[in-house]
Amino acid sequence: GGTINAIARRAGIVGHTDGILKVLNACVREGRPVPLEPVESLFIEGVQVIDGREVPFRRIAFAAAIAGIAQHFFAEYYAVPIRGPKRIAQIIARICGSVAINSPVVSWCRFFPPEAYRYADEFVRPRPARVWLDGRELRFHRHNVLNVGAFPFHLGGVVRSFCAARNGRMHLHAGRLSRFELIVHLPQILAGWLLVLAVEPEGILCGDKMNIP
């Protein structure tokens, strides 16, 4: 899949699954050490509320869509058994379509199913969160963009992200985008460019440690 391919590329692994498994099998069978390659990663520690109970957790990851647009995107992406570039493009097209038909120009024409008008709502709905980066609390406390990555990520050949993550420093997206800003900045998001927003200039940040209580 796209996510594991991104990690494999970062580790310098090339080839198809069958060939890679043959190499690993040969190493085990012949008693040779399996080649290891260090890859930048994130240590994530937090508390999840399950049935009203707070359950601590720890994770090792390479990127995390914590809340908002990317988190809901991946929920939609993994909701179907067949995934890949086509699925990514479908979700993006549905978001753009939902925003377009809610614009003042065409919103009075209710030709589409109700769910089409509501589709983008969950993506852009902000979540409350207090975020610290390298010991400094960010000045905004409602986010519909809250993602972090340990290295530049290329998902399915369609979406690039975390282009500023390098030399052991993570790349954080934090803040809030309106429906309009989401569409306007979509080309930059797909290309993995840094976003420079006049309203919340702290929205794209780099650092070594992030805290979300």
Side-chain angles (χ1 to χ4, degrees):
T3 48
I4 194 63
N5 283 348
I7 298 167
R9 282 192 296 268
R10 189 65 177 179
I13 299 173
V14 295
H16 296 287
T17 305
D18 291 344
I20 295 170
L21 289 176
K22 287 179 181 178
V23 172
L24 294 175
N25 185 52
C27 289
V28 174
R29 189 175 60 252
E30 299 168 10
R32 293 185 284 114
V34 175
L36 299 178
E37 181 68 28
V39 176
E40 303 95 327
S41 57
L42 304 171
F43 174 66
I44 302 173
E45 186 175 28
V47 175
Q48 184 178 9
V49 179
I50 301 177
D51 296 329
R53 296 185 303 111
E54 293 188 350
V55 181
F57 68 87
R58 292 182 174 183
R59 299 284 189 276
I60 300 295
F62 305 98
I66 301 167
I69 295 168
Q71 186 274 330
H72 195 67
F73 170 87
F74 279 106
E76 289 282 292
Y77 181 70
Y78 287 109
V80 298
I82 300 177
R83 299 180 285 271
K86 183 178 179 181
R87 177 61 177 166
I88 295 172
Q90 286 175 339
I91 297 172
I92 293 172
R94 290 186 66 186
I95 295 171
C96 294
S98 180
V99 173
I101 63 178
N102 276 287
S103 67
V105 178
V106 297
S107 60
W108 60 274
C109 301
R110 292 286 165 169
F111 294 136
F112 301 96
E115 57 269 21
Y117 294 91
R118 298 191 300 265
Y119 187 74
D121 291 346
E122 188 64 23
F123 287 87
V124 298
R125 181 176 295 118
R127 267 57 172 190
R130 296 177 66 189
V131 181
W132 280 259
L133 182 66
D134 291 344
R136 179 173 64 91
E137 184 178 5
L138 305 190
R139 63 185 177 83
F140 38 94
H141 298 152
R142 292 182 64 79
H143 306 261
N144 62 13
V145 180
L146 190 52
N147 322 308
V148 62
F151 57 79
F153 216 79
H154 194 185
L155 179 62
V158 180
V159 179
R160 297 175 182 269
S161 194
F162 309 124
C163 60
R166 58 175 64 94
N167 300 324
R169 291 176 68 79
M170 63 187 183
H171 183 169
L172 168 69
H173 301 153
R176 189 167 61 209
L177 289 174
S178 68
R179 288 168 173 259
F180 177 74
E181 288 172 326
L182 174 60
I183 300 304
V184 168
H185 294 293
L186 185 59
Q188 296 166 274
I189 294 170
L190 296 180
W193 298 342
L194 290 175
L195 302 184
V196 180
L197 305 180
V199 177
E200 294 182 347
E202 295 178 339
I204 308 299
L205 303 163
C206 296
D208 299 306
K209 184 177 181 182
M210 179 179 70
N211 297 321
I212 305 175

